[in-house]
Amino acid sequence: MNGYSQVRIGGTGARSAVPVSGEMLHNRAYGWQSAGQMFSPTFMRHMHDYGTTPAQVAAVRSAHSMHASNNPKAYYKQRLTVEDVLASRIICKPLHLLDCCVETDNATAIIVTSADRARDGRHPRALIRGVAGRVCKPRIDMHYQAGPISTVAGRYAREILWPNSGVGPEDVDVTGSYDAFTFTTMLQLEDYGFCKKGEGGRYVSDGTIRLGGKRPNNTSGGHLCEGYTHGMNMVIENTRQLRGLVDDYCPQWQEGIHTYDYSEGKCRQVRDAEISMNLGWANPVTGSALIMRR
């Protein structure tokens, strides 16, 4: 992906001419051109319905920046506080600059094969337990017409994913959410059932998603800090987590030996990670998910 040097949402860099047609005829008339502009009504509605605060959601960026500081590959390694996020300028209410993901040129590669063939591989296997792909709300065109706009596709995907995988939210040790914005992480974790509807703000701000917490999220730093490849880098991160081979600043990480010291510039390996989940996002109406296990 060349999200920095070529097509950029901010309008700089080379862009192909895209004809305005279909739903875009409506969206652009109301200023809904960028992802932040299109998704912000969903975020605002959640704040209105449940009292969610920008400070609670800013904790997502703070946690992911902590994880990125222990990642040699991360684009942004500086640890940020909730106050840092809230002090950054507003891009599109309620999104501050630091609520938004990084734009990068980068690439990922994933090999999927049978479990039998994987036994002969150089690394320990990470087994796929269940998937839910391109699941949508009842209306894919204007999701505001079907159900609360603060509910996203994960609410429907979980009805496929959990039964097919044979596990539930409480069984998951580490998550990887599509964090195009801090709010997308919160909404997905909530609607996939990691907490009750309306409690997402508390879930992401009480330490649960940080390394050393109950269920760390985006241990590489995610889209907010590591790099942006439409969720695939978090699949790679969770694969490495399950293998015990996360590349961090532990002296012997290549042998799978970690200190589990999550202080600045050290480890980001989750201790005894057995089951991981990836939460994919296209927009509030569409999403995919993946469960893997060791």
Side-chain angles (χ1 to χ4, degrees):
M1 290 183 62
N2 298 100
Y4 179 79
S5 63
Q6 290 186 12
V7 177
R8 300 185 67 194
I9 289 176
T12 58
R15 294 182 64 90
S16 300
V18 179
V20 179
S21 61
E23 188 179 339
M24 292 172 66
L25 290 169
H26 168 80
N27 291 349
R28 291 198 176 186
Y30 290 94
W32 292 355
Q33 182 166 344
S34 73
Q37 291 166 336
M38 289 186 288
F39 304 162
S40 59
T42 297
F43 305 152
M44 290 291 288
R45 186 69 195 191
H46 196 280
M47 294 170 65
H48 173 80
D49 287 343
Y50 304 111
T52 309
T53 67
Q56 287 179 313
V57 185
V60 174
R61 180 61 183 259
S62 178
H64 293 185
S65 71
M66 169 195 173
H67 305 164
S69 72
N70 296 354
N71 179 1
K73 301 187 304 293
Y75 193 80
Y76 289 126
K77 295 183 176 68
Q78 179 183 355
R79 293 195 177 194
L80 300 171
T81 66
V82 168
E83 290 71 25
D84 291 330
V85 179
L86 298 180
S88 62
R89 69 180 186 274
I90 287 286
I91 298 297
C92 176
K93 191 176 181 180
L95 298 170
H96 298 79
L97 175 65
L98 295 179
D99 285 306
C100 306
C101 67
V102 62
E103 295 176 304
T104 52
D105 293 350
N106 62 334
T108 57
I110 295 174
I111 297 174
V112 181
T113 187
S114 67
D116 288 338
R117 290 195 66 185
R119 285 194 182 95
D120 298 325
R122 190 158 58 95
H123 301 296
R125 297 182 300 174
L127 300 173
I128 297 173
R129 283 294 304 266
V131 296
R134 301 295 289 182
V135 179
C136 301
K137 292 179 69 173
R139 282 284 300 267
I140 191 171
D141 51 352
M142 289 297 289
H143 78 97
Y144 311 100
Q145 305 280 341
I149 67 171
S150 59
T151 295
V152 299
R155 171 63 185 83
Y156 301 89
R158 77 186 191 195
E159 297 175 5
I160 300 170
L161 183 75
W162 298 125
N164 285 354
S165 64
V167 298
E170 286 302 313
D171 299 309
V172 175
D173 300 306
V174 57
T175 54
S177 68
Y178 194 113
D179 54 340
F181 306 100
T182 52
F183 277 89
T184 59
T185 284
M186 183 203 71
L187 292 174
Q188 290 175 93
L189 290 169
E190 186 179 77
D191 278 344
Y192 276 102
F194 289 98
C195 61
K196 292 181 180 179
K197 189 65 182 175
E199 295 182 0
R202 176 200 54 78
Y203 181 91
V204 299
S205 62
D206 67 1
T208 297
I209 68 169
R210 298 175 75 91
L211 282 167
K214 179 181 179 180
R215 191 173 296 111
N217 183 71
N218 287 17
T219 52
S220 66
H223 292 330
L224 288 169
C225 300
E226 181 190 36
Y228 193 92
T229 46
H230 279 284
M232 302 311 291
N233 48 323
M234 275 80 84
V235 174
I236 290 176
E237 174 70 7
N238 281 356
T239 299
R240 290 172 172 162
Q241 285 285 355
L242 296 177
R243 290 173 171 170
L245 294 174
V246 164
D247 51 333
D248 52 24
Y249 293 103
C250 292
Q252 295 177 275
W253 71 264
Q254 291 175 311
E255 287 78 46
I257 300 173
H258 293 272
T259 65
Y260 306 107
D261 175 5
Y262 303 128
S263 61
E264 189 165 359
K266 296 293 178 64
C267 185
R268 75 171 200 275
Q269 175 69 51
V270 176
R271 188 188 295 270
D272 299 325
E274 294 280 347
I275 299 177
S276 72
M277 179 179 179
N278 285 92
L279 302 79
W281 167 285
N283 47 53
V285 69
T286 310
S288 304
L290 167 70
I291 298 288
M292 294 187 291
R293 74 170 303 147
R294 205 154 58 167

